[in-house]
Amino acid sequence: MSRNFWKSESAGTFCHVSNYHLLLTFFLLFCSLTSTFAQGKKADYQRAEKVKQVMDTKVFYAPSAFHWLEDNAKVWYANSTPTGKKFVLADVKNKTKQPAFDHQKLASGLAIASGMKVNPDSLPFTDIAFVDNGKALEFTVNETAWKCSLDSYVCTKTVKRPDVRRRGFWGDNGEDNTRQNIVSPDGKWTAFVKSYNVYVEATDKSVKEFAMSFDGSEGDYYSPVLSWSPDSKKLVAYKIRPNKPHLIYFIESTPNDQFQPKLHSRNYLKPGDALPQKQPHLFLIDSKKHIEVETGMGHQYAVTNPKWWKDSRGFTFEYNQRGHQAYRVISVDADGKAVDLISETSKTFIDYSGKKYRQDINDGKEIIWASERDGWNHLYLYDGLTGKVKNQITKGEWVVRKVVKVDEAKQTIIFEGSGREKGQDPYLIQYYKVHFDGSGLTALTSENGTHAATFSSDYQYFVDTYSRVDLPPVTTVKSAVDGKILQELEKADITELQKMGWKAPEVFVAKARDDKTDIYGIIVRPINYNPKKSYPVIELIYAGPHSSHAPKVFNSDFRYRFLHELAELGFVVVQLDGMGTSNRSKAFHDVCWQNIKDAGFPDRIKWIKAAAAKYPYMDATRVGVFGNSAGGQNSAAALLLHPDFYKVAVSSSGCHDNRMDKIWWNEQWMGYPIGPQYTESSNSTHAAKLKGKLLLILGEMDDNVDPASTMQFMDALIKANKPFDFLMVPGMGHSLGGDYGEHKRRDFFVKHLLGVEPPAWEGMD
């Protein structure tokens, strides 16, 4: 600005001064408007937190866990009510419902015994056990176990039941090679592995230990997990050719117990790594005979532990061929002869982790088996002696989701299924009963919602809770014979949600890439949305092929609430299941095979465009996407492979290259051996294609997806000179980034999709 700017001796200079005042006026007006708008955005953030709070605490009469008592006709549950948490006991036979105990007296008794302040409307436990024939309660508070009489309400400390759950890292496929003494069913013999070989000795030491094998070695040893035949005359052991562990490392930068960082490691097998190879060996104790069983198995992914028939005629085990395109149930007789009872093959993959089911009937004379061989997941009845299919039990263009109960005596099966009821979302779970021969298929539930059943131990009754994303839960007790409603229990109250203007998500259906298949998803709008305005769209994406992921039940989990919280900032938020995910037909699922990068994007883009065509306030030119884990891979890929549609992405804990992630998940869908399909699906391969705004979030202690996967993707982006944002959360494991990461994610979308500078974090509470 020149020193002559403020002079007014000439008309020209006067114009400069006038322009300055005009600019100053506009500037002050802009600051005022910006301040008002920023306040509005702060209010949006605060409303998002309010929505979360109300959804978490103000949905009443929607219990989710039910516990049948031993007499089978009574069930208890914890119920959230406007006056606090209440424990309820329902009596099916008498059709009564009452408090499970006197909450005030129990609170007083516990307070006296513990010295704590105890609120009867917020008792400090969620799980109870009726003991002493229903005359007392047991529960745990802060790691202390208590027992309270229901007569006197005197509470005393008791011994906490031990936690018998197996501890260990889920990704470690290693064998426990410590000595295990396996006693025969008749108690006469003890078997164990010593110096890599199988040994047997008399339990009473009357017969000294003797070797059953002599060919074991450090590199080819016998597993200490041995299996006796029921008649105690035969023994099975796997001989193992071990693999080399694959260690991944983590540096914990800020441990709680010391100032200096810590180095951690995990045994974490990845696609292409060597796997243990096991071969069954049969030992005949009386003759001390050793038989190497010839099975014809090829390269194994895994084999199951041997399972003996009760009559000791032989045993079975299951063989999963590496590559997941062959799966066999192999039967071995008492002479060591092996035959295939069941043999499944696929040109793509066998979903062993999500759909496999086997139940032996009448000591293996018959076998119930699940298969997708006709294009849909259904049940089959096999002759367990010949390996021939006797009949298909269920059939049709719908899927069996889970077998709940097989009743040998009544020759019936209770199972979960979806897609059978016409006019309903095909993902909604219903319960059915059917005979082994496929006759008498009976729907135990039918209401238009997804059902969750908790059966009494005698399978005469079940508690049924059903809901949809747009239908609050309804809970009843039904007959497990015919599905008849026997007792009404609860109907959810969402009055507090409705008072704040909350609207349920809309279930939206549009055609897939083939213009034939229906794609299902949900649309979430902000409370104050105005159909005359324009809203950017954000998609929560998770295209993991192991399941389907769009919410189907009301207020189901944190992801459901995530969508509503994010919408309050000024977005329309969506979630859907594209092709390549599970719980539809085999063809629908197969789209993912060796093609994780597809992620259903052609269906997702088409679906969002169809929704925007119906609802013009959805701006399909401003679309963001976020996801975690496999969804982290998907969300980043959106900006690499479909940048003309997706503009902003937040990716957390991403599996950006399937060669860097856990073996079981990735070889299941991407196949074996490792080939060019892995390279083609890697985000690092396509890093140079990045367009739009990308935020990567990573926990330094993520032992689910190797953190190096994200770091390698970052390296590729840097080498391609591509700008991106990155947040590393110290000490955090596999997550979306915690509360801090969530705030950063919201800010990122507000800034880059709304074009608004997010409000300051101070004073946001």
Side-chain angles (χ1 to χ4, degrees):
M1 197 177 289
S2 69
R3 284 183 290 179
N4 294 328
F5 183 85
W6 293 101
K7 291 184 179 180
S8 56
E9 284 85 352
S10 67
T13 306
F14 178 79
C15 289
H16 281 296
V17 174
S18 298
N19 287 339
Y20 170 77
H21 283 289
L22 184 62
L23 288 171
L24 181 61
T25 300
F26 280 131
F27 175 74
L28 293 174
L29 178 61
F30 174 78
C31 289
S32 175
L33 291 173
T34 302
S35 175
T36 302
F37 192 66
Q39 274 299 118
K41 299 315 296 180
K42 178 179 177 180
D44 291 340
Y45 276 74
Q46 292 170 332
R47 188 173 61 255
E49 290 301 311
K50 180 65 174 178
V51 167
K52 175 184 177 182
Q53 179 185 5
V54 174
M55 293 183 74
D56 280 343
T57 63
K58 300 298 183 181
V59 175
F60 302 123
Y61 308 109
S64 59
F66 305 90
H67 311 268
W68 289 92
L69 302 190
E70 291 182 0
D71 69 1
N72 295 317
K74 294 179 181 178
V75 61
W76 72 265
Y77 55 93
N79 204 19
S80 177
T81 76
T83 58
K85 179 177 63 180
K86 307 295 183 183
F87 290 84
V88 179
L89 182 65
D91 185 323
V92 180
K93 289 182 179 178
N94 296 317
K95 293 182 172 54
T96 60
K97 187 180 71 169
Q98 61 189 28
F101 50 84
D102 188 313
H103 289 61
Q104 181 64 58
K105 289 183 177 180
L106 190 141
S108 298
L110 181 59
I112 292 170
S114 67
M116 300 185 300
K117 184 177 181 180
V118 182
N119 183 346
D121 295 325
S122 182
L123 292 169
F125 50 84
T126 57
D127 195 20
I128 61 176
F130 285 88
V131 296
D132 299 343
N133 295 319
K135 295 180 180 179
L137 284 182
E138 288 184 344
F139 50 85
T140 299
V141 179
N142 297 329
E143 300 300 317
T144 300
W146 294 91
K147 182 177 181 179
C148 290
S149 165
L150 293 182
D151 292 328
S152 64
Y153 283 92
V154 172
C155 297
T156 57
K157 290 183 181 180
T158 186
V159 178
K160 184 179 179 182
R161 293 186 179 92
D163 187 350
V164 297
R165 292 175 296 178
R166 181 179 180 270
R167 302 290 183 182
F169 175 58
W170 61 267
D172 189 351
N173 287 355
E175 286 276 332
D176 180 1
N177 288 318
T178 57
R179 173 169 169 166
Q180 301 179 35
N181 294 326
I182 312 297
V183 179
S184 61
D186 63 8
K188 295 180 179 180
W189 299 102
T190 298
F192 53 90
V193 170
K194 185 179 75 170
S195 300
Y196 313 113
N197 281 293
V198 177
Y199 281 75
V200 173
E201 68 179 1
T203 304
D204 63 5
K205 307 299 183 181
S206 60
V207 178
K208 293 183 178 181
E209 67 179 46
F210 55 91
M212 293 296 298
S213 72
F214 299 91
D215 57 343
S217 66
E218 184 177 12
D220 203 7
Y221 57 83
Y222 285 92
S223 167
V225 182
L226 308 170
S227 179
W228 282 101
S229 62
D231 63 8
S232 301
K233 294 181 179 181
K234 296 170 280 289
L235 185 69
V236 177
Y238 280 128
K239 192 178 184 186
I240 302 176
R241 189 179 76 240
N243 64 317
K244 183 178 180 180
H246 184 149
L247 297 182
I248 58 174
Y249 298 92
F250 313 87
I251 296 177
E252 186 180 9
S253 61
T254 52
N256 293 325
D257 59 347
Q258 66 184 48
F259 179 72
Q260 295 298 328
K262 280 185 179 179
L263 178 65
H264 299 264
S265 66
R266 299 282 190 274
N267 183 17
Y268 184 108
L269 297 182
K270 297 183 179 182
D273 281 349
L275 287 169
Q277 298 297 294
K278 302 180 180 181
Q279 293 296 328
H281 288 245
L282 177 65
F283 301 96
L284 309 182
I285 305 304
D286 292 343
S287 62
K288 298 183 180 179
K289 187 176 181 180
H290 173 187
I291 303 172
E292 181 175 356
V293 180
E294 298 294 336
T295 62
M297 290 189 294
H299 193 180
Q300 302 167 15
Y301 177 78
V303 296
T304 62
N305 289 331
K307 180 180 180 181
W308 283 94
W309 305 123
K310 294 177 183 178
D311 64 6
S312 298
R313 70 183 185 274
F315 63 91
T316 64
F317 65 94
E318 297 176 17
Y319 158 65
N320 187 355
Q321 183 173 296
R322 189 127 190 215
H324 307 296
Q325 293 179 307
Y327 198 101
R328 294 156 58 190
V329 177
I330 299 173
S331 176
V332 182
D333 66 20
D335 295 321
K337 182 181 178 182
V339 296
D340 289 352
L341 281 183
I342 299 174
S343 180
E344 289 282 344
T345 60
S346 174
K347 293 181 179 179
T348 55
F349 57 82
I350 295 167
D351 186 1
Y352 77 94
S353 62
K355 299 189 177 75
K356 188 190 77 68
Y357 178 81
R358 171 190 168 190
Q359 177 68 48
D360 296 339
I361 304 300
N362 189 21
D363 196 25
K365 304 298 190 301
E366 293 179 319
I367 300 173
I368 296 171
W369 180 254
S371 172
E372 291 186 282
R373 64 188 60 176
D374 73 349
W376 303 83
N377 195 48
H378 283 299
L379 300 177
Y380 294 78
L381 183 66
Y382 270 79
D383 185 314
L385 300 178
T386 66
K388 303 294 185 183
V389 176
K390 298 181 73 170
N391 60 267
Q392 185 171 349
I393 301 172
T394 60
K395 62 182 65 176
E397 294 187 353
W398 53 278
V399 296
V400 172
R401 297 281 290 270
K402 177 184 177 182
V403 174
V404 176
K405 173 66 175 177
V406 174
D407 190 323
E408 287 193 43
K410 296 179 180 179
Q411 299 275 290
T412 58
I413 305 169
I414 296 174
F415 66 93
E416 297 177 0
S418 61
R420 183 176 181 269
E421 306 307 313
K422 302 301 180 185
Q424 293 187 9
D425 181 330
Y427 294 94
L428 300 183
I429 293 174
Q430 302 283 359
Y431 286 78
Y432 302 91
K433 178 181 284 189
V434 67
H435 289 102
F436 287 0
D437 63 4
S439 66
L441 181 63
T442 302
L444 299 179
T445 62
S446 59
E447 296 91 343
N448 187 6
T450 202
H451 292 251
T454 305
F455 288 83
S456 60
S457 60
D458 62 0
Y459 287 87
Q460 292 300 303
Y461 314 108
F462 66 98
V463 176
D464 175 40
T465 296
Y466 71 91
S467 69
R468 298 188 309 267
V469 293
D470 56 352
L471 176 70
V474 176
T475 304
T476 63
V477 178
K478 293 182 177 179
S479 165
V481 176
D482 55 15
K484 180 181 178 181
I485 295 177
L486 302 177
Q487 187 177 8
E488 306 279 352
L489 291 183
E490 305 292 346
K491 188 174 183 179
D493 178 357
I494 61 169
T495 303
E496 294 300 314
L497 271 175
Q498 293 170 329
K499 282 181 180 178
M500 66 184 304
W502 181 90
K503 298 291 192 300
E506 176 188 348
V507 178
F508 187 77
V509 184
K511 294 302 179 183
R513 67 189 78 178
D514 61 4
D515 293 322
K516 297 178 182 178
T517 307
D518 284 335
I519 298 296
Y520 287 75
I522 62 171
I523 300 173
V524 178
R525 303 169 178 86
I527 288 173
N528 62 355
Y529 100 96
N530 182 343
K532 295 181 180 180
K533 292 185 177 181
S534 178
Y535 294 86
V537 179
I538 297 177
E539 179 186 359
L540 169 56
I541 188 170
Y542 192 94
H546 58 279
S547 189
S548 52
H549 310 286
K552 298 298 172 185
V553 299
F554 188 89
N555 201 21
S556 55
D557 58 22
F558 74 96
R559 288 174 299 175
Y560 181 94
R561 297 190 288 280
F562 253 9
L563 306 183
H564 289 273
E565 294 171 56
L566 191 56
E568 292 310 313
L569 304 185
F571 306 106
V572 171
V573 186
V574 303
Q575 188 176 6
L576 60 139
D577 287 301
M579 286 185 172
T581 52
S582 189
N583 298 322
R584 299 284 288 275
S585 69
K586 173 66 171 164
F588 189 101
H589 201 184
D590 277 349
V591 170
C592 74
W593 185 60
Q594 296 191 348
N595 190 26
I596 286 287
K597 76 176 190 302
D598 179 275
F601 279 122
D603 314 307
R604 298 172 186 279
I605 293 170
K606 199 167 184 288
W607 188 95
I608 293 173
K609 287 181 176 179
K614 182 176 181 179
Y615 303 114
Y617 53 82
M618 293 176 62
D619 186 352
T621 67
R622 291 184 293 163
V623 180
V625 60
F626 75 103
N628 184 65
S629 195
Q633 179 180 17
N634 304 146
S635 52
L639 297 189
L640 305 175
L641 305 176
H642 304 278
D644 292 339
F645 185 75
Y646 295 98
K647 307 302 183 185
V648 182
V650 181
S651 163
S652 55
S653 302
C655 163
H656 296 287
D657 190 309
N658 300 100
R659 294 166 294 189
M660 291 294 294
D661 193 29
K662 62 196 77 68
I663 187 172
W664 67 266
W665 196 90
N666 293 276
E667 283 195 8
Q668 168 79 90
W669 319 115
M670 291 296 290
Y672 177 86
I674 308 306
Q677 74 272 19
Y678 280 83
T679 303
E680 184 57 27
S681 281
S682 169
N683 283 345
S684 297
T685 299
H686 303 283
K689 301 176 183 176
L690 177 68
K691 294 182 181 179
K693 300 295 183 179
L694 173 64
L695 169 62
L696 299 173
I697 299 176
L698 179 64
E700 68 176 1
M701 294 299 292
D702 188 347
D703 62 2
N704 186 315
V705 175
D706 188 344
S709 182
T710 295
M711 304 302 284
Q712 289 179 0
F713 178 44
M714 289 169 54
D715 181 62
L717 291 170
I718 291 169
K719 288 177 178 176
N721 200 30
K722 292 294 181 178
F724 63 94
D725 288 78
F726 175 57
L727 170 64
M728 170 74 86
V729 184
M732 183 162 283
H734 192 68
S735 76
L736 289 105
D739 291 340
Y740 190 91
E742 171 63 14
H743 202 151
K744 293 288 285 187
R745 178 170 32 256
R746 294 179 186 183
D747 285 357
F748 200 74
F749 284 130
V750 165
K751 181 175 182 178
H752 296 296
L753 280 180
L754 290 177
V756 174
E757 192 65 30
W761 288 26
E762 293 79 5
M764 287 291 289
D765 296 334

Short mmCIF file of all heavy atoms in Angstrom, two decimals, residues 53 138 554 618 668 749:
data_model
loop_
_atom_site.label_atom_id
_atom_site.label_comp_id
_atom_site.label_asym_id
_atom_site.label_seq_id
_atom_site.Cartn_x
_atom_site.Cartn_y
_atom_site.Cartn_z
N GLN A 53 -25.45 -39.72 22.76
CA GLN A 53 -25.82 -39.92 24.16
C GLN A 53 -27.25 -40.46 24.27
O GLN A 53 -27.51 -41.41 25.02
CB GLN A 53 -25.69 -38.61 24.92
CG GLN A 53 -26.08 -38.71 26.39
CD GLN A 53 -26.06 -37.36 27.09
OE1 GLN A 53 -25.85 -36.33 26.45
NE2 GLN A 53 -26.30 -37.36 28.38
N GLU A 138 -25.72 -64.74 42.56
CA GLU A 138 -24.29 -64.50 42.49
C GLU A 138 -24.02 -63.50 41.37
O GLU A 138 -24.66 -63.54 40.31
CB GLU A 138 -23.51 -65.79 42.24
CG GLU A 138 -23.49 -66.72 43.44
CD GLU A 138 -22.63 -67.96 43.21
OE1 GLU A 138 -22.31 -68.24 42.04
OE2 GLU A 138 -22.29 -68.63 44.21
N PHE A 554 -32.22 -52.44 14.88
CA PHE A 554 -32.34 -51.10 15.41
C PHE A 554 -31.23 -50.82 16.43
O PHE A 554 -31.00 -51.62 17.34
CB PHE A 554 -33.70 -50.92 16.08
CG PHE A 554 -34.01 -49.52 16.50
CD1 PHE A 554 -34.63 -48.66 15.62
CD2 PHE A 554 -33.68 -49.06 17.76
CE1 PHE A 554 -34.92 -47.35 15.99
CE2 PHE A 554 -33.96 -47.76 18.14
CZ PHE A 554 -34.57 -46.91 17.25
N MET A 618 -29.51 -34.92 -2.16
CA MET A 618 -28.26 -35.68 -2.04
C MET A 618 -27.37 -35.29 -3.21
O MET A 618 -27.70 -35.55 -4.38
CB MET A 618 -28.55 -37.19 -2.07
CG MET A 618 -29.30 -37.70 -0.86
SD MET A 618 -29.72 -39.47 -0.96
CE MET A 618 -28.09 -40.22 -1.04
N GLN A 668 -8.27 -66.83 1.67
CA GLN A 668 -9.65 -67.29 1.48
C GLN A 668 -10.27 -66.64 0.25
O GLN A 668 -10.95 -67.31 -0.54
CB GLN A 668 -10.47 -66.96 2.73
CG GLN A 668 -11.97 -67.12 2.58
CD GLN A 668 -12.45 -68.54 2.66
OE1 GLN A 668 -12.77 -69.05 3.71
NE2 GLN A 668 -12.50 -69.22 1.53
N PHE A 749 -14.03 -34.23 6.89
CA PHE A 749 -15.18 -34.18 5.98
C PHE A 749 -15.82 -32.79 5.97
O PHE A 749 -16.24 -32.30 4.91
CB PHE A 749 -16.21 -35.24 6.37
CG PHE A 749 -15.84 -36.64 5.97
CD1 PHE A 749 -15.90 -37.67 6.90
CD2 PHE A 749 -15.44 -36.93 4.69
CE1 PHE A 749 -15.55 -38.97 6.54
CE2 PHE A 749 -15.10 -38.22 4.31
CZ PHE A 749 -15.16 -39.24 5.24
#
